[in-house]
Amino acid sequence: MGKETNSFDYRTFASYLLPKNILKFFDVTGIKEEHTNTVDQTGTEIVILHISLDELDNREQLGLDLKPNGFTESREVTDFPIRDHKVVLHVRRRRWLDADGHNVVFNNYELAAAGTGYSKEFADVLKKYMDTLPITASSLARYFKVDAGNLSRSYKQYLSGFTKWDQTDHADKWLLLEQNMGTDLSIDETQIGNDVRTILTNKDGHGRKGSLIAIVKGTDSDEVVKVLLQLPEDKRNAVKEVTMDFSDSMYSIVQAAFPNATIVIDCFHIFQRCIEAIEELRLKLKRKETAKRRREEAAYKRKQHQRAKRRAKYRATHPKNYKGEKRGRKPMRLNARFVPERLSNGDTMLDLLTRGKRLLAQSGDKWGTTQKARAALLFKHFPELQKAYGLVQSLRSIFGTDKDKRGKKDNKPELSREEASVKLDAWCQKVTECTLREVKSARDCILEKRDEVLNYFIKGSTNASAESINAKMKGFRSEIHGIQDLPFFLFRCTKIFG
């Protein structure tokens, strides 16, 4: 615990609020509060705390013969906000005259970070946030009560090191971070700017700093391999496992660049392909139901016209001969709207197929009460959907992703590779016996890379780390409302994820 004193010393107190050691060289000469009468996005008035500091007489032994000559013009330095007040330091240095009448100014204390108007400690904190978090300068500026444009320029030109980045010349085409190479990697593609780019990541980084290894423009296997071959051969040969999706180009890249690696198809992409098959079937049934609805509406309109003709003919031969109010049933309007039949939960058949999209992509144990009722009706009226959904759920059970794994120390599957192979063959046989072409197409996609699919059961590896970085990059891109400077965006990605 620090030393406690009974007497109050304002300099000790002020030293916690001002830049470190500044009171050894400067003295506080005034404090002024400025109300700007403007409010920020939170509705809080922007108040500026102006703190004036004058340099103390810090002449060394060799400078004792200098004569005082007033102070320099004050320099404004922005520091950490204090109790929601923006803080601006107005610092004046002493001027001295030497024997020849020349002005001398000592620089015993560095006021601000080079090229910026921020104190060195404040600049270090701003740089740390920008280097480690996918946030914009404007978001950080609101929190620290500084000008967003000034922070953006200061970080890009001075604090970040972007102007000295050694990969600027080829950043638009490729980036390599050799130091992040590991033995377990993931490969995927994502949209950055106007192009799709291949991204190679290290699983040990868990989607955070140290994850990013390479970003290459395009997905052409030959072009990507040329870049990845620049990585040291011993590190490429040391790669044991690479996870990926069903992409053929990614498959060719991994085989050429990492010859000793075991390729693992991400199990969640397997389910995604199966869910796409259910979605294709749902849309096909919806198109049929839409066509049926149109036929019913056309038949309804024809019936309305026939009724109108019969009424007109009847009225022609049976003129009205009564007085007072009209008698009998009120005739239906010729333009009366067709009302489709509604099911027990209030949905029409088209509503049922439309609203069933989400529940068909989920495991049954995640359905709510309303979803369960809708699923029962959906499967009752469309048994082919129930068949397809059941086949996909049986595939989930093989991979064990339908079980809650919270609390487990690892994601290793319960089945061995050999056991999973037997179960997968049995599942494929069930699909073969059904008549659903959509599910059979998904089965064929799985069988095409059967060995790589079964490699999941060795360690339970997934492509989650790559998908995590992709999602963070997309979020970062939307946060800055599009990419204006692609090299700088990629530079920030290497700082945050590299």
Side-chain angles (χ1 to χ4, degrees):
M1 187 173 179
K3 182 178 179 181
E4 295 184 3
T5 57
N6 293 326
S7 60
F8 178 75
D9 181 6
Y10 92 93
R11 294 181 65 85
T12 302
F13 176 72
S15 66
Y16 290 102
L17 304 178
L18 297 174
K20 187 176 181 180
N21 295 327
I22 195 172
L23 294 181
K24 291 182 179 179
F25 301 92
F26 295 87
D27 190 25
V28 178
T29 58
I31 300 177
K32 179 182 177 182
E33 188 180 66
E34 177 189 356
H35 292 267
T36 62
N37 295 322
T38 58
V39 296
D40 58 20
Q41 292 183 340
T42 64
T44 306
E45 183 186 11
I46 299 175
V47 182
I48 304 176
L49 193 63
H50 298 277
I51 302 177
S52 300
L53 297 107
D54 286 347
E55 187 177 24
L56 298 170
D57 184 354
N58 291 313
R59 288 177 295 172
E60 297 179 358
Q61 189 66 31
L62 295 177
L64 293 179
D65 58 340
L66 299 176
K67 297 180 180 180
N69 190 30
F71 291 90
T72 61
E73 293 292 329
S74 65
R75 179 182 178 183
E76 293 185 1
V77 179
T78 304
D79 198 33
F80 291 95
I82 298 176
R83 296 190 65 81
D84 221 22
H85 287 52
K86 178 180 178 179
V87 173
V88 177
L89 307 179
H90 299 266
V91 184
R92 298 194 305 175
R93 292 188 182 276
R94 287 184 179 272
R95 282 196 305 231
W96 307 92
L97 286 176
D98 61 13
D100 298 326
H102 297 139
N103 277 317
V104 177
V105 177
F106 293 113
N107 190 18
N108 296 325
Y109 185 87
E110 193 69 35
L111 289 174
T116 75
Y118 307 118
S119 65
K120 293 183 68 175
E121 294 171 352
F122 191 30
D124 288 342
V125 170
L126 294 173
K127 172 179 166 57
K128 182 179 179 181
Y129 274 95
M130 294 289 284
D131 282 352
T132 57
L133 298 176
I135 58 176
T136 63
S138 58
S139 298
L140 195 62
R142 284 195 297 270
Y143 182 77
F144 282 108
K145 310 293 181 184
V146 296
D147 180 73
N150 187 29
L151 173 58
S152 179
R153 289 188 296 272
S154 297
Y155 178 74
K156 182 177 181 179
Q157 298 174 10
Y158 302 104
L159 299 178
S160 65
F162 173 64
T163 55
K164 299 179 181 178
W165 192 32
D166 58 357
Q167 302 202 53
T168 305
D169 295 339
H170 54 77
D172 178 54
K173 297 180 180 179
W174 57 270
L175 295 173
L176 283 179
L177 301 174
E178 173 192 330
Q179 67 274 17
N180 292 335
M181 276 291 289
T183 57
D184 297 328
L185 311 181
S186 296
I187 192 168
D188 203 357
E189 70 273 352
T190 191
Q191 181 88 15
I192 299 178
N194 297 323
D195 298 292
V196 175
R197 296 173 188 268
T198 300
I199 299 181
L200 183 69
T201 56
N202 186 346
K203 289 182 180 296
D204 293 337
H206 302 289
R208 297 188 289 270
K209 199 169 185 66
S211 298
L212 195 60
I213 299 173
I215 300 179
V216 186
K217 183 179 181 179
T219 57
D220 181 82
S221 57
D222 293 336
E223 295 298 324
V224 177
V225 168
K226 283 181 184 178
V227 175
L228 295 183
L229 288 180
Q230 298 180 43
L231 294 168
E233 185 178 3
D234 58 332
K235 291 187 176 182
R236 290 190 291 106
N237 291 336
V239 176
K240 298 179 181 179
E241 181 183 81
V242 180
T243 56
M244 52 175 284
D245 55 21
F246 281 105
S247 170
D248 291 329
S249 61
M250 297 296 117
Y251 189 85
S252 300
I253 292 167
V254 173
Q255 283 189 320
F258 310 107
N260 299 329
T262 299
I263 298 177
V264 180
I265 301 295
D266 179 39
C267 66
F268 295 103
H269 281 89
I270 297 172
F271 303 140
Q272 184 181 27
R273 181 64 188 87
C274 292
I275 290 170
E276 288 172 357
I278 296 178
E279 178 65 5
E280 290 173 14
L281 179 59
R282 184 189 70 86
L283 291 175
K284 183 175 77 172
L285 293 172
K286 186 177 179 180
R287 287 191 295 269
K288 288 182 178 180
E289 193 61 34
T290 302
K292 181 181 176 183
R293 169 77 69 83
R294 288 174 181 167
R295 290 194 298 270
E296 290 176 349
E297 288 179 353
Y300 177 79
K301 288 180 179 180
R302 286 195 300 271
K303 191 173 182 180
Q304 289 291 87
H305 281 289
Q306 290 171 0
R307 285 177 176 174
K309 287 180 180 180
R310 286 198 297 268
R311 285 197 300 269
K313 184 177 180 180
Y314 178 82
R315 185 57 59 204
T317 57
H318 298 77
K320 295 180 180 179
N321 55 5
Y322 59 86
K323 296 179 180 180
E325 295 182 358
K326 294 181 179 180
R327 293 176 294 176
R329 177 181 61 82
K330 182 179 180 181
M332 295 183 65
R333 293 174 57 187
L334 184 61
N335 61 348
R337 187 175 180 180
F338 171 74
V339 179
E341 180 185 359
R342 294 195 174 274
L343 303 172
S344 59
N345 68 338
D347 288 345
T348 63
M349 296 294 276
L350 274 178
D351 291 338
L352 190 65
L353 285 167
T354 302
R355 294 168 181 166
K357 177 180 179 179
R358 181 173 177 80
L359 67 88
L360 290 173
Q362 291 181 319
S363 179
D365 57 357
K366 295 181 180 179
W367 294 341
T369 305
T370 305
Q371 293 287 65
K372 288 180 179 178
R374 181 171 288 121
L377 289 171
L378 188 65
F379 294 154
K380 176 183 176 181
H381 292 280
F382 304 99
E384 54 268 69
L385 274 178
Q386 183 178 21
K387 180 67 174 176
Y389 182 79
L391 288 170
V392 173
Q393 289 304 106
S394 62
L395 182 64
R396 283 183 186 270
S397 66
I398 296 174
F399 284 84
T401 57
D402 58 338
K403 298 181 176 63
D404 188 356
K405 294 186 177 182
R406 287 176 294 182
K408 283 193 173 184
K409 293 183 179 180
D410 56 50
N411 293 322
K412 190 172 182 180
E414 297 179 358
L415 298 178
S416 66
R417 193 179 188 280
E418 293 73 21
E419 293 170 334
S421 177
V422 174
K423 288 182 175 289
L424 183 62
D425 290 341
W427 179 83
C428 291
Q429 183 59 35
K430 287 183 182 179
V431 176
T432 303
E433 294 170 358
C434 77
T435 58
L436 303 174
R437 290 185 298 174
E438 295 81 6
V439 182
K440 286 184 177 181
S441 176
R443 175 209 60 188
D444 294 342
C445 185
I446 293 172
L447 288 180
E448 185 180 352
K449 292 185 172 66
R450 180 179 182 277
D451 290 338
E452 289 76 16
V453 168
L454 290 173
N455 286 341
Y456 165 79
F457 294 92
I458 298 175
K459 292 169 56 179
S461 300
T462 69
N463 221 29
S465 59
E467 297 295 340
S468 173
I469 284 188
N470 288 352
K472 289 176 181 177
M473 283 187 176
K474 290 177 182 177
F476 184 29
R477 184 181 62 205
S478 63
E479 181 81 9
I480 61 177
H481 305 292
I483 301 172
Q484 305 297 327
D485 186 343
L486 181 60
F488 184 60
F489 174 81
L490 293 173
F491 169 77
R492 286 208 61 194
C493 287
T494 61
K495 297 287 285 185
I496 296 167
F497 305 113

